[in-house]
Amino acid sequence: MAKICKLTATAAAAAAPLALLLFLCHQLPCIDAFNRFTVGDEKGWIPNVNYTVWEKKHRPFHVGDWLVFYYQPKSADIVRVDEDSYDKCDASNPISNYSKGRSYAFELNHTGRYYFICSYGYCYQGMKLSINVEPLSPPASPSSSKKSSASSSSAAGAAASPLPAAIAVSLLLTLLLRLL
């Protein structure tokens, strides 16, 4: 009986930090702070889609967001270029390019303008994308979030810094490992 009580107490002690971790993860909106955008929506990355309209529909884009390009292999690629190359549909000096598989996920990791084209000749048919990436907004103060709509306040909460969550997770995992 003493073994069972000791095992139950150890299990409870180990479960407490895990429960706290799950609670914190649920309460901290910063963990789900970034958005994933499928370029071209259901059409994907194909010729004859107006990506300027798509960009206007989905803006603003923020640091940490992801663009996902879905395309047909050996029929298209994704080439990141500078503004001049974008305007000329010139892929001869790419910043980066990708043509393997059927999809490509690209993280928007800094502010500024990003330019993407297809080098298979479809750029001239509109298969190019220019987006501006903005910094994350600071979280709204409690008094101003009462005045804003639910979507605005959730967006502001999503912009919270992930640092407190990372510290909390790290501390809880350390505690859990010590208990085991």
Side-chain angles (χ1 to χ4, degrees):
M1 188 66 146
K3 277 187 171 181
I4 293 174
C5 289
K6 185 177 180 182
L7 181 60
T8 304
T10 304
L18 185 58
L20 182 58
L21 174 65
L22 290 173
F23 174 77
L24 285 174
C25 287
H26 178 70
Q27 296 299 316
L28 294 171
C30 59
I31 292 174
D32 292 325
F34 308 115
N35 294 310
R36 186 188 71 135
F37 298 95
T38 299
V39 175
D41 294 326
E42 69 280 347
K43 292 179 182 176
W45 183 242
I46 61 170
N48 301 314
V49 170
N50 189 332
Y51 293 101
T52 302
V53 169
W54 179 87
E55 184 273 339
K56 287 178 183 175
K57 175 183 170 187
H58 293 288
R59 72 171 64 150
F61 297 93
H62 294 101
V63 171
D65 287 345
W66 288 81
L67 298 179
V68 180
F69 295 81
Y70 291 101
Y71 60 95
Q72 292 298 315
K74 299 182 181 172
S75 299
D77 62 356
I78 299 96
V79 181
R80 184 170 166 223
V81 294
D82 61 21
E83 182 178 13
D84 189 49
S85 296
Y86 175 84
D87 291 338
K88 296 176 181 175
C89 287
D90 178 10
S92 63
N93 283 321
I95 295 170
S96 64
N97 59 20
Y98 191 82
S99 61
K100 297 176 183 166
R102 297 179 171 273
S103 64
Y104 176 62
F106 182 86
E107 183 181 10
L108 304 171
N109 57 15
H110 61 82
T111 59
R113 190 152 290 277
Y114 288 80
Y115 301 94
F116 301 93
I117 65 172
C118 174
S119 71
Y120 282 60
Y122 299 120
C123 179
Y124 298 105
Q125 297 173 18
M127 202 166 165
K128 59 190 212 173
L129 173 66
S130 169
I131 62 165
N132 188 47
V133 177
E134 302 173 4
L136 286 174
S137 306
S141 65
S143 61
S144 66
S145 65
K146 290 178 185 174
K147 297 176 187 175
S148 63
S149 69
S151 64
S152 296
S153 62
S154 67
S161 169
L163 188 57
I167 292 170
V169 169
S170 176
L171 290 173
L172 287 171
L173 288 175
T174 302
L175 179 62
L176 182 62
L177 288 173
R178 287 184 182 171
L179 289 173
L180 299 175

